[in-house]
Amino acid sequence: MHSAWDEVQPNQIYQVTKSFPLTEEGNNGLVYLYLPIIGQTALALYYGFIGDKDDPFENEFAHIDMLDALNIGLPDFLQARKQLEGMGLLSVFTKEDTDFGKMFLYRLEEPIHPEAFFQDETYSFLLLNTVGERKFRQMVRRFLPEKPDLSGYKEVTSTFREVYGALDERLFSRNAQNLEKISKDYQQNATNKIQLDEEQIDWPFLYELAQRKFIAKENFDETFKQQLTLYANLYGFDEMKLVDLMAEAVSLSDGVVDRKELDKTIRKQTNVKSKKQPANYEEQSDAQTRRFNTLRQTGFSENDIQLIKIAQNSAPMDFLQAIKNEKHSYVADPEAWVLKTLVERSPLPNSVINVLVHYILVIKKNSFLQANFVNQIATNWSELEINSPEQAIKHVRDLVKDAKNRTNNKSNAASKKQRPIRKEKLPDWVDNPSEEVEDPAVQEEINKKLQDYLKRKEGEN
Protein backbone atom coordinates (compact mmCIF):
# COMPACT_ATOMS: atom_id res chain seq x y z
CA MET A 1 0.00 0.00 0.00
CA HIS A 2 1.15 3.52 -0.75
CA SER A 3 2.94 5.33 2.10
CA ALA A 4 4.59 8.70 2.72
CA TRP A 5 8.02 7.19 2.04
CA ASP A 6 6.95 6.41 -1.54
CA GLU A 7 6.49 10.12 -2.26
CA VAL A 8 9.29 11.82 -0.36
CA GLN A 9 12.21 10.83 1.85
CA PRO A 10 13.99 12.83 4.58
CA ASN A 11 17.34 13.03 2.79
CA GLN A 12 15.93 14.30 -0.50
CA ILE A 13 16.73 17.88 -1.52
CA TYR A 14 14.24 20.66 -2.26
CA GLN A 15 14.26 24.28 -3.38
CA VAL A 16 11.63 26.94 -2.73
CA THR A 17 10.45 29.73 -5.01
CA LYS A 18 7.76 32.41 -4.84
CA SER A 19 7.02 34.94 -7.54
CA PHE A 20 6.41 37.85 -5.17
CA PRO A 21 6.88 38.45 -1.42
CA LEU A 22 3.94 37.55 0.79
CA THR A 23 1.63 40.57 0.97
CA GLU A 24 0.01 41.86 4.16
CA GLU A 25 -3.41 40.89 2.79
CA GLY A 26 -2.11 37.43 1.94
CA ASN A 27 -0.70 37.01 5.43
CA ASN A 28 -4.02 38.05 7.00
CA GLY A 29 -5.83 35.61 4.76
CA LEU A 30 -3.50 32.80 5.84
CA VAL A 31 -3.84 33.47 9.56
CA TYR A 32 -7.58 34.12 9.73
CA LEU A 33 -9.19 32.38 6.74
CA TYR A 34 -6.97 29.55 5.55
CA LEU A 35 -5.78 28.39 8.98
CA PRO A 36 -9.10 26.86 10.13
CA ILE A 37 -9.21 24.83 6.91
CA ILE A 38 -5.58 23.69 6.50
CA GLY A 39 -4.62 23.39 10.18
CA GLN A 40 -1.65 24.63 12.21
CA THR A 41 0.92 22.19 10.84
CA ALA A 42 0.23 23.18 7.23
CA LEU A 43 0.39 26.87 8.14
CA ALA A 44 3.71 26.35 9.94
CA LEU A 45 5.02 24.50 6.87
CA TYR A 46 4.04 27.41 4.60
CA TYR A 47 5.93 29.87 6.81
CA GLY A 48 8.82 27.41 7.03
CA PHE A 49 9.06 27.39 3.25
CA ILE A 50 8.99 31.21 3.24
CA GLY A 51 11.93 31.18 5.63
CA ASP A 52 13.82 28.91 3.23
CA LYS A 53 12.96 31.14 0.29
CA ASP A 54 14.31 34.21 2.09
CA ASP A 55 17.51 32.50 3.29
CA PRO A 56 20.38 34.68 1.90
CA PHE A 57 22.99 31.90 2.16
CA GLU A 58 21.29 28.67 1.06
CA ASN A 59 18.97 27.75 -1.79
CA GLU A 60 18.89 23.97 -1.38
CA PHE A 61 17.54 22.19 1.70
CA ALA A 62 17.06 18.63 2.96
CA HIS A 63 13.59 17.56 4.08
CA ILE A 64 15.02 16.22 7.34
CA ASP A 65 15.88 19.77 8.40
CA MET A 66 12.27 20.90 7.91
CA LEU A 67 11.00 17.86 9.83
CA ASP A 68 13.31 18.74 12.73
CA ALA A 69 12.37 22.43 12.62
CA LEU A 70 8.64 21.65 12.82
CA ASN A 71 9.11 18.64 15.14
CA ILE A 72 6.95 16.40 12.95
CA GLY A 73 7.33 13.04 11.22
CA LEU A 74 7.33 12.35 7.50
CA PRO A 75 3.61 11.35 7.28
CA ASP A 76 2.59 14.57 9.06
CA PHE A 77 4.84 16.59 6.72
CA LEU A 78 3.31 14.99 3.64
CA GLN A 79 -0.22 15.49 4.94
CA ALA A 80 0.48 19.17 5.68
CA ARG A 81 2.10 19.61 2.27
CA LYS A 82 -0.92 18.12 0.53
CA GLN A 83 -3.24 20.38 2.52
CA LEU A 84 -1.34 23.35 1.08
CA GLU A 85 -1.49 21.83 -2.40
CA GLY A 86 -5.22 21.15 -2.16
CA MET A 87 -5.97 24.75 -1.19
CA GLY A 88 -3.85 26.14 -4.03
CA LEU A 89 -1.12 27.47 -1.73
CA LEU A 90 1.68 25.26 -3.03
CA SER A 91 2.70 23.75 -6.37
CA VAL A 92 5.08 20.78 -6.34
CA PHE A 93 7.54 19.78 -9.08
CA THR A 94 10.09 16.95 -9.15
CA LYS A 95 13.06 15.95 -11.27
CA GLU A 96 15.74 13.24 -11.28
CA ASP A 97 19.25 14.57 -10.72
CA THR A 98 22.30 12.46 -11.61
CA ASP A 99 24.08 13.42 -8.37
CA PHE A 100 21.27 13.87 -5.84
CA GLY A 101 18.53 11.61 -7.17
CA LYS A 102 14.94 12.84 -6.82
CA MET A 103 14.74 16.59 -6.14
CA PHE A 104 11.76 18.82 -5.40
CA LEU A 105 10.85 22.38 -6.32
CA TYR A 106 8.18 23.92 -4.08
CA ARG A 107 6.54 27.00 -5.54
CA LEU A 108 4.62 28.99 -2.92
CA GLU A 109 1.43 30.56 -4.23
CA GLU A 110 -0.02 33.79 -2.88
CA PRO A 111 -3.18 33.34 -0.78
CA ILE A 112 -6.11 35.02 -2.43
CA HIS A 113 -7.13 38.41 -1.04
CA PRO A 114 -9.74 38.19 1.76
CA GLU A 115 -12.19 40.11 -0.42
CA ALA A 116 -11.77 37.55 -3.21
CA PHE A 117 -11.97 34.75 -0.63
CA PHE A 118 -15.49 35.74 0.39
CA GLN A 119 -16.51 36.46 -3.18
CA ASP A 120 -15.70 32.85 -4.05
CA GLU A 121 -18.54 30.58 -2.88
CA THR A 122 -16.25 27.54 -2.69
CA TYR A 123 -13.80 29.16 -0.26
CA SER A 124 -16.67 30.62 1.77
CA PHE A 125 -18.40 27.24 2.00
CA LEU A 126 -15.20 25.53 3.17
CA LEU A 127 -14.67 28.11 5.90
CA LEU A 128 -18.31 28.01 6.98
CA ASN A 129 -18.27 24.22 7.06
CA THR A 130 -15.14 24.26 9.22
CA VAL A 131 -15.76 26.99 11.80
CA GLY A 132 -19.56 27.08 11.99
CA GLU A 133 -21.99 29.93 11.36
CA ARG A 134 -21.19 32.11 14.38
CA LYS A 135 -17.43 32.23 13.74
CA PHE A 136 -18.02 32.57 10.01
CA ARG A 137 -20.17 35.68 10.54
CA GLN A 138 -17.40 37.11 12.73
CA MET A 139 -14.87 36.59 9.93
CA VAL A 140 -17.18 38.16 7.38
CA ARG A 141 -17.54 41.25 9.55
CA ARG A 142 -13.79 41.43 10.11
CA PHE A 143 -12.95 41.66 6.41
CA LEU A 144 -16.06 43.44 5.17
CA PRO A 145 -15.03 46.30 2.81
CA GLU A 146 -15.54 49.72 4.34
CA LYS A 147 -18.38 51.62 2.69
CA PRO A 148 -18.52 55.22 3.92
CA ASP A 149 -21.81 57.07 3.95
CA LEU A 150 -21.67 59.35 0.88
CA SER A 151 -25.11 60.86 1.31
CA GLY A 152 -24.92 64.62 0.80
CA TYR A 153 -21.57 64.39 -1.03
CA LYS A 154 -20.95 65.03 -4.71
CA GLU A 155 -18.01 63.31 -6.40
CA VAL A 156 -15.53 65.79 -7.94
CA THR A 157 -12.66 63.36 -8.73
CA SER A 158 -10.57 64.45 -11.73
CA THR A 159 -10.17 62.05 -14.64
CA PHE A 160 -6.83 60.85 -16.00
CA ARG A 161 -7.29 62.80 -19.22
CA GLU A 162 -8.07 66.02 -17.33
CA VAL A 163 -4.80 65.74 -15.38
CA TYR A 164 -2.36 64.12 -17.82
CA GLY A 165 -3.90 64.84 -21.20
CA ALA A 166 -4.09 62.36 -24.09
CA LEU A 167 -1.55 59.58 -24.63
CA ASP A 168 0.98 59.88 -27.45
CA GLU A 169 -0.46 57.18 -29.70
CA ARG A 170 2.57 56.99 -32.03
CA LEU A 171 4.98 56.54 -29.11
CA PHE A 172 2.65 53.97 -27.57
CA SER A 173 2.50 52.00 -30.85
CA ARG A 174 6.31 51.90 -31.16
CA ASN A 175 6.58 50.41 -27.66
CA ALA A 176 3.51 48.16 -27.82
CA GLN A 177 5.42 44.93 -28.47
CA ASN A 178 7.85 45.48 -25.60
CA LEU A 179 5.02 46.49 -23.25
CA GLU A 180 3.08 43.36 -24.18
CA LYS A 181 6.11 41.18 -23.35
CA ILE A 182 6.52 42.89 -19.96
CA SER A 183 2.81 42.39 -19.27
CA LYS A 184 3.10 38.66 -19.96
CA ASP A 185 6.16 38.37 -17.70
CA TYR A 186 4.10 39.70 -14.80
CA GLN A 187 1.05 37.54 -15.44
CA GLN A 188 0.55 34.74 -12.94
CA ASN A 189 -1.00 31.38 -13.63
CA ALA A 190 -4.22 30.77 -11.72
CA THR A 191 -2.62 28.11 -9.51
CA ASN A 192 -3.85 29.39 -6.16
CA LYS A 193 -7.23 27.72 -6.55
CA ILE A 194 -8.62 24.82 -4.59
CA GLN A 195 -7.49 21.63 -6.31
CA LEU A 196 -10.58 19.47 -6.88
CA ASP A 197 -11.03 16.21 -8.75
CA GLU A 198 -13.21 17.47 -11.60
CA GLU A 199 -13.51 14.00 -13.15
CA GLN A 200 -15.49 12.74 -10.17
CA ILE A 201 -18.71 13.97 -11.81
CA ASP A 202 -20.09 12.62 -15.10
CA TRP A 203 -21.47 15.94 -16.33
CA PRO A 204 -23.54 14.68 -19.32
CA PHE A 205 -25.22 12.15 -17.03
CA LEU A 206 -25.85 14.83 -14.39
CA TYR A 207 -27.37 17.18 -17.01
CA GLU A 208 -29.69 14.41 -18.13
CA LEU A 209 -30.82 13.72 -14.58
CA ALA A 210 -31.25 17.43 -13.88
CA GLN A 211 -33.45 17.87 -16.94
CA ARG A 212 -35.81 15.20 -15.61
CA LYS A 213 -36.12 17.22 -12.39
CA PHE A 214 -36.86 20.43 -14.36
CA ILE A 215 -33.50 21.96 -13.37
CA ALA A 216 -32.41 24.39 -16.10
CA LYS A 217 -29.07 23.71 -17.77
CA GLU A 218 -28.32 27.44 -17.55
CA ASN A 219 -27.57 26.89 -13.84
CA PHE A 220 -24.36 25.07 -14.65
CA ASP A 221 -21.87 27.87 -15.20
CA GLU A 222 -18.24 27.35 -14.16
CA THR A 223 -18.82 28.70 -10.64
CA PHE A 224 -21.74 26.38 -9.99
CA LYS A 225 -19.91 23.39 -11.48
CA GLN A 226 -16.99 24.05 -9.14
CA GLN A 227 -19.44 24.25 -6.24
CA LEU A 228 -20.95 20.87 -7.15
CA THR A 229 -17.47 19.40 -7.61
CA LEU A 230 -16.63 20.50 -4.07
CA TYR A 231 -19.72 18.74 -2.71
CA ALA A 232 -18.78 15.58 -4.60
CA ASN A 233 -15.20 15.71 -3.30
CA LEU A 234 -16.10 16.51 0.30
CA TYR A 235 -19.09 14.25 0.81
CA GLY A 236 -18.79 11.56 -1.87
CA PHE A 237 -22.10 12.61 -3.45
CA ASP A 238 -22.78 10.94 -6.79
CA GLU A 239 -24.72 12.52 -9.67
CA MET A 240 -28.10 11.22 -8.49
CA LYS A 241 -27.59 12.55 -4.97
CA LEU A 242 -26.49 15.95 -6.27
CA VAL A 243 -29.57 16.25 -8.47
CA ASP A 244 -31.84 15.21 -5.59
CA LEU A 245 -30.30 17.93 -3.41
CA MET A 246 -30.64 20.54 -6.16
CA ALA A 247 -34.30 19.56 -6.59
CA GLU A 248 -34.90 20.72 -3.02
CA ALA A 249 -33.59 24.21 -3.86
CA VAL A 250 -34.94 24.75 -7.40
CA SER A 251 -37.64 27.18 -8.43
CA LEU A 252 -40.41 25.31 -10.27
CA SER A 253 -41.30 28.43 -12.26
CA ASP A 254 -37.97 28.90 -14.07
CA GLY A 255 -35.76 25.95 -13.04
CA VAL A 256 -33.17 28.17 -11.33
CA VAL A 257 -31.37 26.67 -8.31
CA ASP A 258 -31.11 28.91 -5.25
CA ARG A 259 -27.44 28.35 -4.41
CA LYS A 260 -27.69 29.68 -0.87
CA GLU A 261 -30.62 27.38 -0.21
CA LEU A 262 -28.62 24.51 -1.68
CA ASP A 263 -25.80 25.31 0.77
CA LYS A 264 -28.25 25.08 3.65
CA THR A 265 -29.58 21.79 2.35
CA ILE A 266 -26.06 20.38 2.03
CA ARG A 267 -25.14 21.36 5.58
CA LYS A 268 -28.20 19.54 6.88
CA GLN A 269 -26.87 16.33 5.38
CA THR A 270 -25.15 14.91 8.45
CA ASN A 271 -25.46 11.33 7.25
CA VAL A 272 -23.93 10.67 3.85
CA LYS A 273 -24.01 7.34 2.04
CA SER A 274 -20.63 6.38 0.68
CA LYS A 275 -20.34 5.04 -2.86
CA LYS A 276 -17.59 2.70 -1.70
CA GLN A 277 -19.74 0.57 0.59
CA PRO A 278 -22.68 -1.78 -0.11
CA ALA A 279 -25.95 -0.99 1.66
CA ASN A 280 -27.24 -4.53 2.35
CA TYR A 281 -26.15 -5.85 5.75
CA GLU A 282 -27.52 -9.38 5.37
CA GLU A 283 -26.30 -10.67 2.01
CA GLN A 284 -23.00 -12.51 2.15
CA SER A 285 -21.24 -14.22 -0.69
CA ASP A 286 -19.69 -17.65 -0.29
CA ALA A 287 -16.30 -15.95 -0.12
CA GLN A 288 -17.46 -13.76 2.75
CA THR A 289 -18.86 -16.77 4.57
CA ARG A 290 -15.55 -18.60 4.27
CA ARG A 291 -13.74 -15.45 5.39
CA PHE A 292 -15.79 -15.11 8.57
CA ASN A 293 -15.49 -18.83 9.35
CA THR A 294 -11.72 -18.50 9.05
CA LEU A 295 -11.76 -15.52 11.40
CA ARG A 296 -13.73 -17.53 13.96
CA GLN A 297 -11.18 -20.32 13.76
CA THR A 298 -8.33 -17.86 14.37
CA GLY A 299 -9.80 -16.43 17.56
CA PHE A 300 -12.23 -13.70 16.49
CA SER A 301 -15.42 -13.66 18.56
CA GLU A 302 -18.97 -13.31 17.23
CA ASN A 303 -18.94 -9.73 18.50
CA ASP A 304 -15.79 -9.10 16.47
CA ILE A 305 -17.44 -10.59 13.36
CA GLN A 306 -20.51 -8.43 13.87
CA LEU A 307 -18.39 -5.29 14.24
CA ILE A 308 -16.47 -6.18 11.07
CA LYS A 309 -19.73 -6.60 9.14
CA ILE A 310 -21.06 -3.26 10.36
CA ALA A 311 -17.74 -1.50 9.68
CA GLN A 312 -17.47 -2.71 6.09
CA ASN A 313 -21.14 -2.03 5.25
CA SER A 314 -21.35 1.50 6.70
CA ALA A 315 -20.32 4.89 5.42
CA PRO A 316 -17.97 6.55 7.96
CA MET A 317 -20.32 9.46 8.62
CA ASP A 318 -23.23 7.07 9.27
CA PHE A 319 -21.04 4.96 11.53
CA LEU A 320 -19.90 8.00 13.52
CA GLN A 321 -23.46 9.28 13.88
CA ALA A 322 -24.62 5.86 15.08
CA ILE A 323 -21.99 5.78 17.83
CA LYS A 324 -22.79 9.34 18.82
CA ASN A 325 -26.48 8.46 19.09
CA GLU A 326 -25.62 5.51 21.33
CA LYS A 327 -23.55 7.86 23.55
CA HIS A 328 -26.44 10.37 23.60
CA SER A 329 -24.21 12.91 21.89
CA TYR A 330 -23.90 14.57 18.47
CA VAL A 331 -21.32 14.98 15.72
CA ALA A 332 -19.55 18.33 16.20
CA ASP A 333 -18.44 20.28 13.13
CA PRO A 334 -14.68 19.71 13.80
CA GLU A 335 -15.32 15.95 14.05
CA ALA A 336 -17.16 15.92 10.73
CA TRP A 337 -14.26 17.78 9.13
CA VAL A 338 -11.68 15.38 10.61
CA LEU A 339 -13.62 12.40 9.28
CA LYS A 340 -14.09 13.93 5.80
CA THR A 341 -10.39 14.73 5.60
CA LEU A 342 -9.49 11.20 6.66
CA VAL A 343 -11.79 9.61 4.06
CA GLU A 344 -10.49 11.87 1.28
CA ARG A 345 -6.76 11.83 1.96
CA SER A 346 -5.77 8.71 3.84
CA PRO A 347 -5.20 5.37 2.05
CA LEU A 348 -7.24 3.59 4.73
CA PRO A 349 -10.44 1.89 3.51
CA ASN A 350 -13.71 3.11 4.99
CA SER A 351 -14.07 -0.11 6.99
CA VAL A 352 -10.72 0.49 8.72
CA ILE A 353 -11.65 4.11 9.38
CA ASN A 354 -14.82 2.87 11.08
CA VAL A 355 -12.82 0.54 13.33
CA LEU A 356 -10.55 3.49 14.15
CA VAL A 357 -13.59 5.58 15.15
CA HIS A 358 -14.94 2.66 17.21
CA TYR A 359 -11.58 2.25 18.95
CA ILE A 360 -11.37 5.93 19.95
CA LEU A 361 -15.00 6.50 20.99
CA VAL A 362 -16.07 3.09 22.31
CA ILE A 363 -12.95 1.20 23.45
CA LYS A 364 -10.93 4.23 24.60
CA LYS A 365 -14.17 5.86 25.81
CA ASN A 366 -13.30 9.29 24.42
CA SER A 367 -16.16 11.69 23.85
CA PHE A 368 -14.65 13.52 20.86
CA LEU A 369 -12.60 12.76 17.74
CA GLN A 370 -9.54 14.93 18.36
CA ALA A 371 -7.74 15.65 15.08
CA ASN A 372 -4.15 15.07 16.23
CA PHE A 373 -5.02 11.80 17.95
CA VAL A 374 -7.00 10.52 14.95
CA ASN A 375 -4.24 11.43 12.50
CA GLN A 376 -1.57 9.88 14.73
CA ILE A 377 -3.33 6.52 14.65
CA ALA A 378 -4.33 6.81 10.97
CA THR A 379 -0.78 7.54 9.78
CA ASN A 380 0.54 4.64 11.86
CA TRP A 381 -2.03 2.24 10.37
CA SER A 382 -1.34 3.58 6.87
CA GLU A 383 2.37 2.90 7.18
CA LEU A 384 1.60 -0.63 8.42
CA GLU A 385 -0.67 -1.15 5.39
CA ILE A 386 -3.69 -2.13 7.47
CA ASN A 387 -6.42 -2.57 4.86
CA SER A 388 -9.17 -4.60 6.54
CA PRO A 389 -11.19 -4.21 9.75
CA GLU A 390 -9.95 -7.56 11.10
CA GLN A 391 -6.34 -6.43 10.64
CA ALA A 392 -7.10 -3.25 12.58
CA ILE A 393 -8.76 -5.15 15.43
CA LYS A 394 -5.91 -7.69 15.63
CA HIS A 395 -3.26 -4.95 15.49
CA VAL A 396 -4.75 -3.05 18.43
CA ARG A 397 -5.05 -6.20 20.52
CA ASP A 398 -1.50 -7.28 19.70
CA LEU A 399 -0.22 -3.90 20.83
CA VAL A 400 -2.22 -4.09 24.04
CA LYS A 401 -0.92 -7.61 24.70
CA ASP A 402 2.63 -6.45 24.01
CA ALA A 403 2.20 -3.50 26.38
CA LYS A 404 1.00 -5.81 29.15
CA ASN A 405 3.88 -8.24 28.51
CA ARG A 406 6.31 -5.34 28.81
CA THR A 407 4.89 -4.49 32.20
CA ASN A 408 5.21 -8.12 33.33
CA ASN A 409 8.75 -8.41 31.91
CA LYS A 410 9.83 -5.32 33.81
CA SER A 411 8.47 -6.78 37.04
CA ASN A 412 10.22 -10.10 36.43
CA ALA A 413 13.47 -8.38 35.45
CA ALA A 414 13.41 -6.34 38.63
CA SER A 415 12.95 -9.42 40.79
CA LYS A 416 15.34 -11.76 38.93
CA LYS A 417 17.74 -9.04 37.75
CA GLN A 418 17.72 -10.52 34.27
CA ARG A 419 18.36 -8.56 31.13
CA PRO A 420 15.07 -7.39 29.61
CA ILE A 421 14.20 -8.49 26.09
CA ARG A 422 14.33 -5.63 23.62
CA LYS A 423 11.14 -5.10 21.62
CA GLU A 424 9.97 -2.60 19.04
CA LYS A 425 8.82 0.69 20.52
CA LEU A 426 5.07 0.94 20.83
CA PRO A 427 3.24 3.89 19.24
CA ASP A 428 2.55 6.81 21.57
CA TRP A 429 -1.21 6.35 21.26
CA VAL A 430 -1.08 2.95 23.00
CA ASP A 431 -1.58 3.87 26.63
CA ASN A 432 -3.50 2.53 29.62
CA PRO A 433 -3.62 -1.01 28.18
CA SER A 434 -5.73 -2.28 31.06
CA GLU A 435 -8.59 -0.10 29.83
CA GLU A 436 -8.65 -1.77 26.40
CA VAL A 437 -10.34 -4.96 27.63
CA GLU A 438 -13.86 -5.19 26.18
CA ASP A 439 -16.87 -6.51 28.04
CA PRO A 440 -18.48 -9.01 25.59
CA ALA A 441 -21.99 -8.26 26.84
CA VAL A 442 -21.49 -4.52 26.49
CA GLN A 443 -19.90 -4.94 23.07
CA GLU A 444 -22.79 -7.11 21.89
CA GLU A 445 -25.31 -4.50 23.02
CA ILE A 446 -23.38 -1.71 21.30
CA ASN A 447 -23.17 -3.72 18.06
CA LYS A 448 -26.91 -4.38 18.17
CA LYS A 449 -27.73 -0.71 18.66
CA LEU A 450 -25.34 0.31 15.90
CA GLN A 451 -26.95 -2.13 13.51
CA ASP A 452 -30.48 -1.08 14.50
CA TYR A 453 -29.68 2.58 13.90
CA LEU A 454 -28.03 1.91 10.54
CA LYS A 455 -30.96 -0.23 9.38
CA ARG A 456 -33.39 2.53 10.33
CA LYS A 457 -31.23 5.01 8.44
CA GLU A 458 -31.22 2.75 5.41
CA GLY A 459 -35.02 2.58 5.56
CA GLU A 460 -35.31 6.37 5.72
CA ASN A 461 -33.23 6.70 2.55
Side-chain angles (χ1 to χ4, degrees), residues 20 172 174-188:
F20 300 100
F172 182 83
R174 286 200 301 269
N175 290 276
Q177 187 174 358
N178 187 41
L179 294 173
E180 183 179 358
K181 179 181 181 302
I182 294 173
S183 175
K184 289 181 179 180
D185 288 341
Y186 274 82
Q187 289 177 5
Q188 296 294 302

Side-chain angles (χ1 to χ4, degrees), residues 22-165:
L22 181 64
T23 65
E24 181 180 354
E25 292 80 6
N27 186 71
N28 287 337
L30 273 175
V31 172
Y32 297 107
L33 305 179
Y34 283 88
L35 173 59
I37 300 171
I38 65 176
Q40 295 181 352
T41 304
L43 181 66
L45 180 60
Y46 189 95
Y47 284 126
F49 282 147
I50 286 182
D52 291 339
K53 170 65 176 64
D54 295 337
D55 191 314
F57 305 106
E58 300 286 343
N59 63 357
E60 292 183 347
F61 308 89
H63 284 85
I64 184 65
D65 295 328
M66 180 63 77
L67 300 181
D68 289 341
L70 299 182
N71 193 26
I72 58 176
L74 193 63
D76 290 334
F77 167 84
L78 186 60
Q79 181 183 14
R81 198 193 78 182
K82 288 187 177 297
Q83 286 171 326
L84 296 177
E85 295 170 37
M87 286 298 292
L89 294 170
L90 183 70
S91 299
V92 179
F93 306 89
T94 64
K95 72 173 183 179
E96 289 295 331
D97 186 85
T98 54
D99 296 325
F100 298 101
K102 187 177 182 180
M103 296 184 64
F104 291 80
L105 175 65
Y106 294 136
R107 186 177 71 196
L108 292 168
E109 310 294 351
E110 182 73 11
I112 66 172
H113 193 285
E115 182 179 356
F117 188 101
F118 286 110
Q119 288 175 351
D120 189 302
E121 294 181 359
T122 302
Y123 283 97
S124 292
F125 176 80
L126 275 176
L127 184 61
L128 171 63
N129 198 48
T130 305
V131 303
E133 293 188 9
R134 186 185 66 82
K135 188 66 175 178
F136 180 76
R137 288 196 299 269
Q138 178 187 342
M139 293 298 180
V140 171
R141 289 193 300 268
R142 181 186 186 97
F143 292 101
L144 198 64
E146 184 177 353
K147 296 180 180 179
D149 182 7
L150 299 179
S151 56
Y153 287 88
K154 177 182 178 182
E155 185 170 5
V156 293
T157 307
S158 300
T159 66
F160 174 87
R161 190 180 184 88
E162 289 173 342
V163 179
Y164 297 100

Side-chain angles (χ1 to χ4, degrees), residues 120-400:
D120 189 302
E121 294 181 359
T122 302
Y123 283 97
S124 292
F125 176 80
L126 275 176
L127 184 61
L128 171 63
N129 198 48
T130 305
V131 303
E133 293 188 9
R134 186 185 66 82
K135 188 66 175 178
F136 180 76
R137 288 196 299 269
Q138 178 187 342
M139 293 298 180
V140 171
R141 289 193 300 268
R142 181 186 186 97
F143 292 101
L144 198 64
E146 184 177 353
K147 296 180 180 179
D149 182 7
L150 299 179
S151 56
Y153 287 88
K154 177 182 178 182
E155 185 170 5
V156 293
T157 307
S158 300
T159 66
F160 174 87
R161 190 180 184 88
E162 289 173 342
V163 179
Y164 297 100
L167 291 174
D168 187 331
E169 294 183 4
R170 288 181 299 176
L171 182 60
F172 182 83
S173 298
R174 286 200 301 269
N175 290 276
Q177 187 174 358
N178 187 41
L179 294 173
E180 183 179 358
K181 179 181 181 302
I182 294 173
S183 175
K184 289 181 179 180
D185 288 341
Y186 274 82
Q187 289 177 5
Q188 296 294 302
N189 295 325
T191 54
N192 58 343
K193 285 289 185 181
I194 296 173
Q195 304 300 306
L196 299 174
D197 180 9
E198 298 180 356
E199 296 181 358
Q200 188 164 338
I201 296 178
D202 182 344
W203 292 106
F205 179 51
L206 185 140
Y207 296 151
E208 181 182 347
L209 293 174
Q211 187 176 9
R212 296 177 188 174
K213 297 278 188 176
F214 305 102
I215 299 171
K217 193 171 182 178
E218 288 72 23
N219 286 289
F220 300 98
D221 56 24
E222 286 305 314
T223 301
F224 191 52
K225 287 174 67 176
Q226 186 181 34
Q227 187 177 352
L228 295 178
T229 303
L230 175 66
Y231 297 151
N233 277 257
L234 279 180
Y235 299 100
F237 292 156
D238 59 14
E239 293 82 3
M240 296 180 67
K241 183 65 175 180
L242 288 171
V243 170
D244 287 343
L245 292 168
M246 284 187 281
E248 298 184 31
V250 69
S251 169
L252 297 179
S253 60
D254 55 12
V256 174
V257 175
D258 186 330
R259 300 183 187 185
K260 292 183 178 179
E261 188 62 32
L262 178 60
D263 275 344
K264 294 179 182 178
T265 303
I266 294 291
R267 282 185 274 119
K268 292 177 183 177
Q269 297 291 312
T270 57
N271 299 286
V272 180
K273 288 296 175 188
S274 171
K275 295 188 293 182
K276 301 179 185 177
Q277 303 290 345
N280 195 319
Y281 297 101
E282 302 301 330
E283 291 185 7
Q284 294 183 28
S285 65
D286 291 340
Q288 286 287 68
T289 301
R290 290 193 297 271
R291 171 190 170 204
F292 292 136
N293 286 337
T294 301
L295 291 177
R296 291 184 181 96
Q297 294 169 7
T298 55
F300 284 82
S301 68
E302 288 302 320
N303 285 333
D304 295 332
I305 302 295
Q306 192 63 31
L307 175 60
I308 291 170
K309 290 179 182 179
I310 296 173
Q312 68 184 18
N313 291 324
S314 305
M317 192 63 73
D318 283 343
F319 190 86
L320 174 60
Q321 184 64 61
I323 290 180
K324 287 289 187 171
N325 283 0
E326 166 59 20
K327 294 168 74 75
H328 305 290
S329 183
Y330 66 97
V331 179
D333 288 343
E335 291 180 292
W337 183 256
V338 167
L339 191 61
K340 290 166 194 166
T341 303
L342 196 61
V343 170
E344 292 161 19
R345 296 176 180 171
S346 82
L348 298 177
N350 283 358
S351 58
V352 175
I353 292 175
N354 287 339
V355 173
L356 189 155
V357 170
H358 182 272
Y359 170 75
I360 294 175
L361 297 181
V362 177
I363 305 304
K364 296 288 289 182
K365 300 179 182 178
N366 288 306
S367 300
F368 186 82
L369 291 179
Q370 205 277 334
N372 290 338
F373 189 51
V374 171
N375 290 328
Q376 191 178 13
I377 300 176
T379 53
N380 177 254
W381 289 10
S382 298
E383 290 181 353
L384 294 173
E385 299 185 356
I386 293 176
N387 53 25
S388 70
E390 54 263 38
Q391 286 180 332
I393 293 172
K394 185 178 184 302
H395 174 64
V396 169
R397 287 179 177 162
D398 285 348
L399 288 174
V400 171

